[in-house]
Amino acid sequence: GAGILGVPLANIWLDGGIWTVASETQFGRIACARLIMAGVLGLLLAWPPTRWLQLLAGAGLVALIAPSGHAGATPGVTGAIQLISDGFHLLAAGAWLGGLPALVLLLGWSRHGAGPDRVTVAVNATNRFSILGIVCVLTLAASGTVNSWVLLSGPRDLIATTYGRVLLLKIGLFAAMLGIAAVNRFCVTPRLTEPGAARALQLNSLAEATLGLGVLYLAAVLGAMAPAGHLHSNSAEFLPEAAFVHIHSEIGMADVTINPGHAGKVAATIRLTREDSLPLAASRVTLALDPPQEPSHVGQPTVQKDAVLMPDGTWGIAKIELPVAGIWTARVIVAPEGAAPFVLDGPIVITQCSN
């Protein structure tokens, strides 16, 4: 909330900004849904007979991360495919990495615990985990390929862009995990009843889990970066006090800049491009700004004005009055030359004037 609204952390609680983010943004609504799912899972864990319900709640908690990432921001059929792929990617990673600590604990019990059948239990559990691991690896490879196809413009991005290089490092750690898993599956697991094999498998699983933490960290870094395939050139001058939103769709794209980015008298600039980043020709462009959906702002009218084509190819509006701060919705109504009009919309944060 503090990052979206551009205010100190304490302010989002004092002025109600946290509720705006929680209720009016996709990220906030998904975070609330995951919080509820986590509460449900916590209650179910206290009741052992609900093991299958626990599994479903845990899977839902993990899979709901997908809509709050890049997959949730990709429009159309491509976005739907990526969303499904990302969900399976998360579930496979959760099952594999989430199961490793339990496997390590079980192997430790088989070495030092009591009970004559502890070695048999460890062998059976390891064999079952090995099957799970194979399914997870195949799922991760397939879903990772789909995600890379959507998020990269080509193989060159793996070297030529920061996003690609971080992704390449993540793939390298995944390959190292895969190598350890292969050693465990084909070399260590078949001789698990022999002395020292359980300890070797336990140490290998710990190393595998450590590499997995590195993969998760890199996944978090990638989640905060613009995908290489979504980077587009923008010759507009960077304005540090301006509010900005990039609206991406299969029809076209719009870069909307509101300067300054706070309530009061502002100016707007709109840059239209096609999916291939070439200029999108239009005969008319209109900008509509819908006010924040907060109880205190009920009754505020939508601000709508036609834009004027500028010499540099952008569309501009010189004078706009935005009376309140908050998360506005920018709707760019585009009438292309020789085609039906379409609308590009996205949220844009307008802050309170410091003066």
Side-chain angles (χ1 to χ4, degrees), residues 131-148:
I131 296 173
L132 174 68
I134 292 173
V135 174
C136 290
V137 166
L138 292 176
T139 303
L140 287 167
S143 56
T145 301
V146 172
N147 289 343
S148 297

Side-chain angles (χ1 to χ4, degrees), residues 11-49:
N11 287 20
I12 64 171
W13 299 98
L14 298 176
D15 61 10
I18 184 66
W19 310 117
T20 300
V21 173
S23 62
E24 295 185 24
T25 67
Q26 178 171 300
F27 175 85
R29 290 190 290 267
I30 293 170
C32 289
R34 295 190 70 238
L35 182 61
I36 294 171
M37 189 70 74
V40 170
L41 178 59
L43 294 174
L44 291 174
L45 287 174
W47 190 16

Side-chain angles (χ1 to χ4, degrees), residues 69-76 78-80 82-83 146-154 157 161 163-164 222-223 225-234 244-250 252-255 273-277:
H70 293 134
T74 305
T78 301
Q82 189 190 0
L83 193 61
V146 172
N147 289 343
S148 297
W149 169 70
V150 175
L151 299 176
L152 299 176
S153 60
D157 285 348
T161 67
Y163 183 92
L222 290 170
M225 298 175 65
H230 292 185
L231 294 176
H232 307 284
S233 60
N234 184 1
F244 174 83
V245 62
H246 171 75
I247 307 171
H248 192 124
S249 78
E250 294 179 333
M253 297 179 293
D255 292 331
T273 54
R274 303 185 319 196
E275 177 67 22
D276 56 7
S277 298

